[in-house]
Amino acid sequence: MRRVDRARFVPPESHDQAYDNIPLSIGYGQTISQPLVVGLMTQALQAQPSDRVLEVGTGSGYHTAILAELAAEVISIERHARLSERARLLLEDLGYRNVRLFVGSGSGGWPVAAPYDRILVTAGSPRIPVRLLASLAKNGRLVVPVGTRQEQQLVLLEKGPHGVSERSLGPVRFVPLIGEGAWNDQGD
Ligand code: SAH
């Protein structure tokens, strides 16, 4: 996390708050998560240098960059084309070559590079996204906030030799995951 400068990912008017432990607005009703939660999710994911990681919710691209520091390749999906484009320019500028960004909904999975060793969902889902779980590789880990539109539990799912185990990592607050198997678009 020390290698990725959060100030580059927040809008100019929030620069003086870039290092505060708070979420910040990035436009289009979306937010860049608070650094503590980014750290917690990244720690739970335990991405390895040879891993292929799927991120659902590129947003600012901040978490994408942190994952790109740790894994072999990051595939990140964002439903807002303008956010994706902005993240693409920034990540290119920062020199990340192991990132592929796509515009669309990742709530139902993203077959392009499946199965994935790690899957990170950075928006709140009403339930465990089964299609994403299905595209998780053996010994894979999936981290996803699950709950209501307002409040979720951060859930870690592990696909072990004897099935899937589930662990709750505490309460979090994310913008809703919009799309198939998740929430309806309410104009955000
Ligand atoms: N990881 C981001 C946090 C972004 S907030 C960061 O570090 O900045 C969550 C993002 O998920 C929002 O940008 C929102 O538009 C996006 N999102 C919501 N539902 C989605 C879906 N089904 N597929 C892809 N992106 C989605």
Side-chain angles (χ1 to χ4, degrees):
M1 286 185 76
R2 213 174 282 139
R3 288 209 288 268
V4 182
D5 185 2
R6 191 166 181 258
R8 296 292 307 267
F9 295 85
V10 305
E13 62 272 19
S14 304
H15 267 176
D16 57 340
Q17 294 175 293
Y19 305 116
D20 293 349
N21 189 28
I22 50 171
L24 293 167
S25 170
I26 53 170
Y28 309 97
Q30 310 305 323
T31 53
I32 177 172
S33 308
Q34 75 185 96
L36 183 70
V37 172
V38 172
L40 180 70
M41 293 174 105
T42 307
Q43 197 171 42
L45 205 63
Q46 281 182 23
Q48 304 299 309
S50 61
D51 280 351
R52 189 159 56 208
V53 181
L54 173 69
E55 178 190 35
V56 178
T58 314
S60 67
Y62 175 62
H63 212 154
T64 320
I66 289 170
L67 296 172
E69 293 279 352
L70 299 167
E73 190 182 17
V74 184
I75 287 95
S76 185
I77 322 298
E78 170 57 53
R79 61 187 285 272
H80 283 291
R82 309 238 321 248
L83 284 178
S84 180
E85 190 49 34
R86 204 163 67 192
R88 179 193 313 283
L89 294 173
L90 182 51
L91 292 167
E92 264 173 28
D93 189 46
L94 292 172
Y96 290 102
R97 298 278 170 268
N98 57 339
V99 169
R100 280 197 278 164
L101 302 187
F102 295 93
V103 176
S105 173
S107 62
W110 200 261
V112 165
Y116 302 94
D117 304 298
R118 300 289 186 261
I119 301 178
L120 177 71
V121 183
T122 67
S125 177
R127 58 189 71 87
I128 287 164
V130 285
R131 297 269 301 274
L132 284 175
L133 193 56
S135 62
L136 193 61
K138 226 169 63 188
N139 300 319
R141 288 177 157 236
L142 163 62
V143 173
V144 54
V146 178
T148 64
R149 271 186 100 104
Q150 285 78 29
E151 238 181 336
Q152 306 89 30
Q153 280 289 323
L154 191 60
V155 177
L156 164 65
L157 297 148
E158 277 183 272
K159 215 177 230 186
H162 310 295
V164 177
S165 73
E166 183 181 333
R167 195 143 57 91
S168 188
L169 305 174
V172 286
R173 213 174 261 257
F174 276 84
V175 296
L177 180 71
I178 308 288
E180 184 196 339
W183 299 103
N184 293 326
D185 190 354
Q186 291 187 349
D188 66 341

